Amino acid sequence: MRRFIDSVRAGTSLTYNEMREATNTMFSEDINADDIANFLTALSIKGETTEEIAALVEVLKDNATQIPVTSPSVFDNCGTGGDGSQSFNISTTSSFVLAGAGLKVAKHGNRSISSRTGSADVLEELGIALDFQPREVNELLKQTNIAFLFAPHVHPKMKRIQIIRKSLGKPTIFNIIGPLTNPVSLSSQMVGVYRQDKLMDLAAVLHRIGRKRAIVLTGAGGMDEASLVGDNHLVLMDEGECIPFTLNAQEVGLSNAPLEAIRGGDAKENAEILKSVLRGEPSAYLDTVLLNAGIGLFAAGVSSTIQDGVHQARKSIQSGRALSVMESVVAYSQNRSHLEVNA
């Protein structure tokens, strides 16, 4: 590890193979925690390249729980977190809308790190299990169009790295790669990141790791989700071609609103907000989900435009399909718990 630290400190970027070797070394129990911390810090100071990010992601996926699925097209709409907006659980709420619109969604997520309530926290409050086994993930995708992957459950080797990350107390490469490490082989993806300077890099990485189509975005106000505040910055990756563009909610028939209008709270409050959106109750929460789900449907190639995606998202909610998806996953979790108790 020392040679990699020295190289990066000297301002030299690692090749793809060197970064794979460095990442595999990080997972070794024999490596000193200080060396891992120094390596991550040096990378952050130098600035991570596309090759370094791609290599790290591939090794993390190699070391994750393997989840083969039978669905040919699977989508995820996970954000990096870290935007400090204290918003409600936008991508989690949107995932039910996407599933209600017919997408197969393998939603990767974690507990709260930088916000009050992470996706896993609100799912737990709704009564959804966090420890689905690979067979159950496949069953859920078939039965309900959606399955949830709790990051610590599918990345068991990350436990030591997480402790080191927390001890550093500052962002590292791991703060931007979470959504890319979904162990399911995704065909398309929507990734929100709070760093606008990383949009093109992450779009290139998504192509490198096998996505056919994807959107990477930074929301207005510096969010890791599309927001109603103003211009959102996006990059569409389509078969390797990366196309940057901006989008204002007004362009797709939605009203602008300040970040304060979509503030969340604890898990209980956010679960209530989520359910109110799925019931179609008018609010900035609903419009934010319509915007993000609309972008997601466009990213997956289901809709020809984002405006059409917003229309399909609205139909998913108004028809009751989005709420039905959520209720089906809750019922699956409860039945599963009942079977375990009586086994």
Side-chain angles (χ1 to χ4, degrees), residues 34-79:
D34 287 342
D35 282 343
I36 297 173
N38 289 334
F39 177 65
L40 294 176
T41 301
L43 262 184
S44 181
I45 292 170
K46 176 187 72 66
E48 305 88 349
T49 66
T50 299
E51 292 287 289
E52 289 165 343
I53 296 169
L56 175 63
V57 168
E58 293 284 15
V59 172
L60 288 174
K61 290 176 70 177
D62 289 346
N63 283 276
T65 301
Q66 298 305 298
I67 306 178
V69 298
T70 54
S71 301
S73 298
V74 184
F75 183 82
D76 187 13
N77 65 327
C78 181

Side-chain angles (χ1 to χ4, degrees), residues 235-307:
V235 173
L236 168 66
M237 188 283 290
D238 190 3
E239 300 288 356
E241 184 182 5
C242 295
I243 307 160
F245 65 102
T246 59
L247 177 73
N248 192 297
Q250 291 183 330
E251 296 172 49
V252 291
L254 300 168
S255 299
N256 290 137
L259 289 181
E260 291 75 23
I262 58 165
R263 285 271 159 82
D266 59 20
K268 186 175 179 62
E269 290 171 283
N270 281 14
E272 289 305 316
I273 292 170
L274 183 152
K275 286 186 281 190
S276 77
V277 170
L278 298 188
R279 288 193 296 264
E281 296 174 13
S283 67
Y285 299 119
L286 172 62
D287 285 357
T288 300
V289 168
L290 290 173
L291 178 61
N292 281 273
I295 294 170
L297 290 165
F298 177 67
V302 171
S303 61
S304 57
T305 65
I306 293 174
Q307 186 155 12

Side-chain angles (χ1 to χ4, degrees), residues 168-241:
L168 283 173
K170 52 190 166 187
T172 69
I173 190 171
F174 285 99
N175 289 77
I176 57 171
I177 57 98
L180 310 183
T181 62
N182 191 319
V184 171
S185 185
L186 305 172
S187 53
S188 55
Q189 190 166 0
M190 173 177 164
V191 176
V193 58
Y194 65 97
R195 286 181 59 181
Q196 189 180 329
D197 64 313
K198 286 295 181 184
L199 293 180
M200 292 297 283
D201 284 343
L202 293 185
V205 172
L206 284 163
H207 174 60
R208 176 78 184 253
I209 63 177
R211 308 293 187 261
K212 294 182 177 63
R213 189 175 160 97
I215 278 184
V216 188
L217 66 85
T218 298
M223 291 186 66
D224 71 330
E225 314 274 3
S227 86
L228 306 173
V229 175
D231 289 342
N232 300 283
H233 295 268
L234 306 89
V235 173
L236 168 66
M237 188 283 290
D238 190 3
E239 300 288 356
E241 184 182 5

Side-chain angles (χ1 to χ4, degrees), residues 70-121:
T70 54
S71 301
S73 298
V74 184
F75 183 82
D76 187 13
N77 65 327
C78 181
T80 60
D83 62 13
S85 68
Q86 304 300 316
S87 63
F88 75 109
N89 300 96
I90 299 168
S91 63
T92 304
T93 310
S94 299
S95 68
F96 291 114
V97 179
L98 294 169
L103 268 186
K104 300 287 186 183
V105 183
K107 181 76 173 72
H108 194 238
N110 209 337
R111 290 198 185 278
S112 170
I113 296 174
S114 59
S115 61
R116 286 183 65 185
T117 308
S119 63
D121 302 304

